[in-house]
Amino acid sequence: MRYFLELAYFGKAYHGWQRQPEASTVQEVIEKALSILLQETIEIVGAGRTDAGVHAKQLFAHFDVEMELPAEMVFRLNSLLPKDIAILDLFPVKPEAHARFDAVARSYEYHLVQRKDVFTTDTAYWVKKELDVEKMNEAAKILLEYRNFKCFSRSRTDVRTYNCSIETAYWEKHDHGLVFHITADRFLRNMVRAIVGTLLQIGLGKIEVQAMHEIINSENRSEAGASVPAHGLFLTKVEYPKSIKG
């Protein structure tokens, strides 16, 4: 049987989602807990690969097992996992359902604060200078006009295409800071952090709004802004067609 796990994690202690040699990752920790509970080696496949320090409010992963799992499996699994990883749900899906390839949309948020806040040290980026949010939103709208986002991707990557379909991209004022919301069918490695870094350059008045066109058309990572720190980034939602459920 194939099962989907719905989970959340606070990424500070982990070197990202994907299993790596000699580094603690979210995938590895969950696989170890599942393997202990089910008394067999379990490998899971995630909906995406978050970088080191990035958080997830919702992420899905699938795995295969011979037996039907009991309802209390979520409680038992959470009891084995550390406090910064939580299993939210566990449910059977069709045998061919795939956590990564069947996802139709993914949403991220990037949080920043504009005054020193001791309670958001690990969850928001502190930007000390004033920002022109109106210009940042004008530039964010330009993203919806394009499909090729090579300029925001890590240079060393194994993707076949740099095309992504961005559905929404906008800044929202929140308390004493801002939240950037973005939803697309897929994202490239480092893409959201590079986009935010570029929008901040516009908000700080270092480049003009219309420069976003030139940056995207260049397909050159060095033309875009520097990536913002990982700790302000959250994967917030992964969407699937209803047909995946068993």
Side-chain angles (χ1 to χ4, degrees), residues 141-153:
K141 286 181 182 177
I142 293 173
L143 295 168
L144 278 63
E145 301 175 21
Y146 291 89
R147 290 292 177 270
N148 186 321
F149 295 102
K150 186 177 181 179
C151 67
F152 297 124
S153 173

Side-chain angles (χ1 to χ4, degrees), residues 7-24:
L7 59 119
Y9 55 86
F10 186 70
K12 182 180 179 180
Y14 302 100
H15 203 73
W17 162 265
Q18 190 174 26
R19 189 191 319 107
Q20 298 177 44
E22 300 180 6
S24 179

